């Protein structure tokens, strides 16, 4: 790869990737598929390169050590300036309520505290109860007997249940989750239009859906906010989690308009729903591709239901997240990690607020084989560490998919291997190595550094509970693929699967590579659920 020329101050600028479009720069290539964009540029320039994106200079890092270095220097490369910009476009919150000086110190940290491994139990226990209440009320369980079979469209069946359960956990029963789901889904599908700053006239459906969800949240806030002078923040949010009640109390203290409070709540709902449900989708889908995967996981779940929970569903519903981390659930933990690796595309964004030097000691993540396939010379590790300067005012992006798909770290990276993360002792603790060196940050599905997913313990628990309950109650088969539409006749009914327009054989649908976070599918799938208990 060409060696970049030293800048006038003697330090190296990262190699430049060339995207000639004025203003947009690399935005189209990056937006279409961040993972491919990272991999292709890594093959050409190495694991750090710079270009323009939306009028700003952007440096990208793609190897595990450079991503770790970027995460580590949170003083020079900060996340707060980014999260004080994007919500304005995405959630329509007025700038004063996104850039309020108290948010970084007294707003965002509430999530880290309430969702930490030590504190998350009441929230995850509430999810278990709400999710089970919803699942047990579906036709598939409420209107069937053991041995009966129903067909469901996966996203129609499970996504609204997860949405309603999580809304109830965080916002309580006064928010109309069922009535808001369809609009939320349209908003989420079109989120990229808000990110790209498309005006309302060019995306009327997206803007109308967003407005309707926000209106529902405004009505919720008006109904649930209960003034009480005995409370630290002059009131509380009736029926909501203490986390949301305290946050909204602070919003009142900072004199945020109700519409802007609703915008913040929308950002929170958006933070938990799509990543969570698409993780569940891909995990099921990859499991169901192979009968031996299903058999192994079923054996693990049946044994755990008997030995860990004494055969009692209530004990499972009451289990704290630590229980699902035990060796008895190692294969499920491995399957979740493998899903995050194969089906996620997390990018962490930072604003460089002071110059800093980042050192490349290892060179590219890309293998010689991958380079040969692209007709490029093999990327060599630098003979000596190379120091690059990231300058104040630039943006920096950590692309994690390049690491997750690195064949030197993960053999046959395109395949789903359910036990990939199992160590020899059977626990989900396998260590990964590249060129003989241990790679500690081999899996970054939750992002990393100061912006690492605050909800990861809650989400891990929710995904596992969902898989356990489904496998405990049903024999499940993936029978066909079908259209991803909100077609009300297809998906949640019992019986013969009337209305299901299956049009392909049951293969893994393509992923929409343009998403950031968990990738979405281009097709829905039809599951056959045969009631067990
Ligand atoms: C399997 C499901 C989930 C996945 C894969 C996921 C992944 C992520 C990723 C990749 C980030 C950005 C990290 C970065 O920029 O470095 C993130 C941020 C975040 N996630 Fe999640 N997430 C999931 C579920 C949830 C849930 C259920 C919640 C809430 C209960 C949640 C709360 C958050 C919050 C608050 C942040 C922002 C952290 C910050 O900026 O300080 N996530 N998540």
């Amino acid at each position: 790869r060409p060696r970049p020329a030293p800048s006038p101050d003697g330090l190296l600028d990262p190699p430049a990737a060339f995207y000639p479009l004025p203003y947009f720069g690399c935005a189209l290539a990056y937006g279409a598929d961040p993972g491919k964009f990272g991999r292709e540029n890594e093959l050409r320039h190495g694991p750090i390169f710079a270009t323009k994106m939306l009028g700003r200079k952007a440096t990208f890092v793609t190897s595990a050590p450079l991503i770790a270095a970027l995460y580590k220097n949170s003083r020079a490369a900060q996340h707060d300036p980014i999260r004080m910009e994007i919500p304005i476009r995405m959630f329509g919150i007025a700038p004063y309520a996104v850039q309020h000086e108290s948010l970084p110190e007294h707003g965002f940290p509430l999530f880290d505290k309430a969702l930490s491994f030590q504190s998350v139990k009441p929230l995850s226990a509430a999810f278990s109860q709400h999710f089970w209440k919803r699942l047990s009320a579906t036709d598939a369980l409420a209107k069937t007997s053991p041995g009966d079979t129903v067909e469901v469209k996966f996203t129609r069946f499970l996504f609204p249940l997860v949405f309603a359960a999580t809304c109830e956990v965080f916002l309580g029963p006064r928010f109309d989750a069922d009535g808001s789901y369809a609009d939320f889904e349209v908003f989420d599908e079109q989120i990229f239009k808000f990110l790209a700053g498309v005006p309302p006239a060019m995306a009327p459906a997206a803007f109308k859906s967003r407005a309707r969800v926000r209106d529902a949240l405004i009505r919720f806030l008006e109904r649930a906010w209960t003034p009480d002078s005995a409370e630290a923040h002059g009131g509380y949010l009736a029926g909501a989690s203490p986390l949301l009640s305290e946050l909204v109390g602070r919003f009142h203290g900072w004199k945020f308009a109700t519409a802007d409070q609703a915008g913040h709540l929308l950002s929170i709902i958006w933070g938990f729903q799509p990543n969570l449900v698409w993780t569940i989708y891909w995990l099921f889908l990859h499991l169901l591709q192979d009968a031996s995967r299903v058999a192994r996981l079923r054996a693990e779940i049946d044994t755990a239901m008997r030995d860990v929970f004494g055969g009692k569903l209530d004990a499972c519903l009451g289990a704290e997240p630590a229980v699902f981390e035990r060796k008895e659930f190692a294969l499920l933990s491995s399957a979740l990690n493998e899903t995050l690796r194969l089906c996620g595309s997390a990018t962490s964004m930072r604003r460089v607020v002071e110059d800093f030097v980042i050192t490349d000691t290892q060179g590219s993540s890309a293998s010689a084989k991958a380079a040969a396939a692209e007709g490029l010379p093999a990327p060599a590790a630098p003979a000596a560490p190379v120091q690059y300067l990231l300058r104040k005012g630039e943006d920096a992006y950590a692309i994690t998919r390049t690491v997750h798909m690195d064949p030197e770290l993960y053999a046959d990276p395109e395949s789903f291997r359910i036990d990939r993360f199992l160590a020899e002792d059977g626990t989900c603790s396998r260590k990964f190595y590249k060129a003989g060196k241990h790679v500690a940050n081999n899996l970054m599905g939750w992002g990393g550094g100061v912006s690492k997913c605050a909800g990861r313990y809650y989400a891990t628990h929710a995904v596992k509970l969902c898989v356990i309950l489904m496998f405990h109650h049903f024999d499940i088969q993936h029978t066909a693929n079908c259209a991803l539409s909100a077609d009300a006749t297809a998906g949640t009914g019992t019986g013969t699967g009337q209305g299901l327009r299956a049009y392909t054989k049951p293969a893994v649908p393509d992923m929409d590579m343009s998403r950031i976070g968990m990738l979405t599918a281009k097709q829905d799938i039809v599951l056959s659920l045969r009631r067990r208990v």
Side-chain angles (χ1 to χ4, degrees), residues 276-455:
L276 190 49
V277 291
W278 287 108
T279 304
I280 296 171
Y281 173 99
W282 290 118
L283 203 164
F284 270 96
L285 186 67
H286 284 292
L287 282 175
L288 298 173
Q289 292 309 302
D290 182 333
S292 72
R293 290 177 198 157
V294 174
R296 286 176 70 186
L297 192 68
R298 169 166 300 300
E300 180 175 279
I301 291 173
D302 286 352
T303 307
M305 281 309 273
R306 190 191 61 221
D307 296 349
V308 179
F309 302 126
K312 295 196 175 71
L313 186 64
D314 278 351
C316 172
L317 295 177
E320 55 186 305
V323 174
F324 292 158
E325 296 304 304
R326 283 165 42 177
K327 189 176 177 183
E328 288 90 335
F329 297 97
L331 192 64
L332 181 52
S333 301
S334 174
L336 171 56
N337 282 355
E338 181 68 339
T339 307
L340 294 172
R341 181 194 71 79
L342 184 61
C343 307
S345 186
T347 296
S348 304
M349 286 178 68
R350 301 288 186 265
R351 173 79 30 87
V352 180
V353 298
E354 58 186 63
D355 289 1
F356 87 90
V357 174
I358 194 163
T359 307
D360 177 17
T361 51
Q362 288 199 330
S364 180
S365 272
S367 69
K369 204 171 143 198
E374 307 278 335
L376 292 164
V386 186
Q387 295 192 313
Y388 295 105
L389 179 66
L390 269 63
R391 291 172 193 278
K392 183 178 172 180
E394 298 173 9
D395 288 340
Y397 293 75
I399 298 182
T400 59
R401 196 166 167 81
T402 38
V403 177
H404 295 167
M405 300 306 285
D406 178 356
E408 287 181 46
L409 200 53
Y410 296 107
D412 193 10
E414 302 284 343
S415 302
F416 182 93
R417 292 190 180 174
I418 189 171
D419 51 8
R420 195 188 284 277
F421 288 84
L422 293 188
E424 279 181 7
D425 65 358
T427 58
C428 182
S429 60
R430 186 173 157 200
K431 289 190 166 28
F432 289 82
Y433 296 85
K434 177 167 169 144
K437 281 197 184 140
H438 175 224
V439 179
N441 59 335
N442 60 295
L443 184 65
M444 294 175 282
W446 309 106
V450 289
S451 64
K452 188 167 184 176
C453 177

Side-chain angles (χ1 to χ4, degrees), residues 16-47:
F18 181 58
Y19 289 89
L21 275 185
Y23 180 72
F24 284 100
C26 69
L28 299 181
Y30 171 77
D33 185 339
K36 184 166 170 241
F37 167 85
R39 179 173 167 276
E40 286 178 355
N41 278 297
E42 185 183 74
L43 287 170
R44 286 195 172 80
H45 307 291

